[in-house]
Amino acid sequence: MSTTLLISVISVAIIYAVSVLYATIGEIFSQRAGIMNLGLEGIMLMGAVSGYLVAVYKQNLILAMLVVILVGCILGLIFAFLTVTLQSDQTVAGMAMLTFGTGLSGFIGKSVSGVNANLKFEPFDIPILSKIPIIGPSVFHQDILVYAMYLIIPLSMIYIYKTRYGMILRALGENPAALDSAGYNVFALRYAYIIFGCAMTAVSGACVTLSYTNFWSDGMTSGKGWIAVALVVFSSWNPLIAVFGALLFGAISIIGIDIQMYVSTIPSQFFSALPYVATIIALIFTTGNFRKKRSSAPEALCIPYDREER
């Protein structure tokens, strides 16, 4: 493999990975708080279309990202109301969010379907670091959304495992009754982490339309929301491990696209399915019962909390 091709593969794999990582890390926080959201795909689509609509009509990327985050927060508020206040079944609520987001995004995106915004986040060099052979051009010649993820990953690790707030978050998903007894507002905390998770998921969608590509089409996230859900389990709810899973997904995706150019006899659908097949295989080996290992899932995940039942 030539150096130029290697740089291209690594660079695009990172962009692919980041488009899933925002949703994955957001869902890690949500599930560590005890709430599972299976509607990530719908929220990603809403983030993707809302950001692209603003980019097309206002030609302002900062405003587009603010709208994306706002849309994510609103959807998070709705989901939190359903699962925390009304104590609805989290699986059903998640599927409802998926259906709602998928349908609404397709409807409001009709006006910009196939329209080129001529505006996206452009890559730029990090001084000195971008001069490192191979690593520099691929890792440190990216756009602002990728660079932000470089900061979010270590900050997430520090927050979850090294701070008092992270300890409270872990307790929220393990034993909310004990946390409530200690004087913490379980409902407010879960609301906050659900909203944060949904906002991050909406940003994942914006990565697809405003960073990796420069267009909108109905359902264009193509299952990335489900990949994010799978990566949460694959990573054992650890953001750092999720990074490696997302990079694996990104690398297989781009390699599959490159192989299509040389092996035209194999249907393109086969290569498109490779990332999802790899994810399933990874889940089998990391979560299968044959491992004889206790699950790392938060004890209170998917269990509604009622103060009266403490």
Side-chain angles (χ1 to χ4, degrees), residues 259-268 270-271:
I259 291 176
Q260 289 181 53
M261 296 187 294
Y262 302 101
V263 187
S264 57
T265 55
I266 300 177
S268 60
F270 171 80
F271 297 106

Side-chain angles (χ1 to χ4, degrees), residues 152-173:
I152 290 172
I153 293 164
L155 289 176
S156 297
M157 291 295 293
I158 293 170
Y159 183 91
I160 293 174
Y161 297 107
K162 300 295 182 181
T163 68
R164 178 170 171 268
Y165 300 106
M167 181 180 68
I168 293 171
L169 169 62
R170 298 197 305 273
L172 190 60

Side-chain angles (χ1 to χ4, degrees), residues 169-238:
L169 169 62
R170 298 197 305 273
L172 190 60
E174 297 290 345
N175 194 339
L179 204 60
D180 195 2
S181 299
Y184 293 95
N185 190 326
V186 170
F187 303 105
L189 286 170
R190 284 189 165 177
Y191 258 82
Y193 285 116
I194 291 170
I195 291 171
F196 171 75
C198 289
M200 289 281 284
T201 302
V203 173
S204 256
C207 286
V208 178
T209 51
L210 300 179
S211 175
Y212 182 65
T213 66
N214 189 27
F215 68 91
W216 159 259
S217 65
D218 193 10
M220 69 179 300
T221 51
S222 305
K224 286 184 174 66
W226 293 109
I227 290 287
V229 173
L231 283 175
V232 173
V233 181
F234 167 80
S235 67
S236 296
W237 292 264
N238 184 312

Side-chain angles (χ1 to χ4, degrees), residues 18-278:
V18 167
S19 70
V20 177
L21 269 175
Y22 276 100
T24 302
I25 292 178
E27 182 63 7
I28 285 174
F29 275 84
S30 179
Q31 290 196 21
R32 280 197 171 274
I35 304 295
M36 177 185 288
N37 185 355
L38 296 181
L40 300 188
E41 183 79 3
I43 298 170
M44 283 184 70
L45 285 168
M46 286 298 296
V49 71
S50 60
Y52 197 70
L53 279 167
V54 176
V56 169
Y57 292 114
K58 296 298 181 181
Q59 291 291 298
N60 189 320
L61 287 173
I62 295 176
L63 180 60
M65 290 308 300
L66 290 175
V67 170
V68 168
I69 293 171
L70 177 61
V71 167
C73 289
I74 292 172
L75 293 175
L77 186 62
I78 294 171
F79 189 73
F81 178 73
L82 291 173
T83 56
V84 178
T85 302
L86 299 184
Q87 297 186 5
S88 303
D89 183 281
Q90 294 175 22
T91 302
V92 174
M95 297 308 293
M97 185 64 69
L98 168 66
T99 305
F100 172 76
T102 303
L104 184 59
S105 65
F107 175 74
I108 65 178
K110 286 183 178 180
S111 62
V112 292
S113 182
V115 176
N116 193 326
N118 294 314
L119 186 69
K120 61 181 289 192
F121 288 103
E122 298 293 343
F124 59 91
D125 290 334
I126 298 295
I128 302 176
L129 295 177
S130 62
K131 303 299 182 183
I132 301 172
I134 300 179
I135 295 176
S138 55
V139 178
F140 298 109
H141 179 73
Q142 297 285 358
D143 61 53
I144 190 66
L145 294 178
V146 176
Y147 291 135
M149 183 51 64
Y150 292 170
L151 294 175
I152 290 172
I153 293 164
L155 289 176
S156 297
M157 291 295 293
I158 293 170
Y159 183 91
I160 293 174
Y161 297 107
K162 300 295 182 181
T163 68
R164 178 170 171 268
Y165 300 106
M167 181 180 68
I168 293 171
L169 169 62
R170 298 197 305 273
L172 190 60
E174 297 290 345
N175 194 339
L179 204 60
D180 195 2
S181 299
Y184 293 95
N185 190 326
V186 170
F187 303 105
L189 286 170
R190 284 189 165 177
Y191 258 82
Y193 285 116
I194 291 170
I195 291 171
F196 171 75
C198 289
M200 289 281 284
T201 302
V203 173
S204 256
C207 286
V208 178
T209 51
L210 300 179
S211 175
Y212 182 65
T213 66
N214 189 27
F215 68 91
W216 159 259
S217 65
D218 193 10
M220 69 179 300
T221 51
S222 305
K224 286 184 174 66
W226 293 109
I227 290 287
V229 173
L231 283 175
V232 173
V233 181
F234 167 80
S235 67
S236 296
W237 292 264
N238 184 312
L240 186 59
I241 299 176
V243 173
F244 295 105
L247 286 171
L248 174 66
F249 164 71
I252 293 174
S253 298
I254 189 60
I255 290 172
I257 292 172
D258 288 340
I259 291 176
Q260 289 181 53
M261 296 187 294
Y262 302 101
V263 187
S264 57
T265 55
I266 300 177
S268 60
Q269 291 82 357
F270 171 80
F271 297 106
S272 300
L274 284 179
Y276 307 97
V277 172

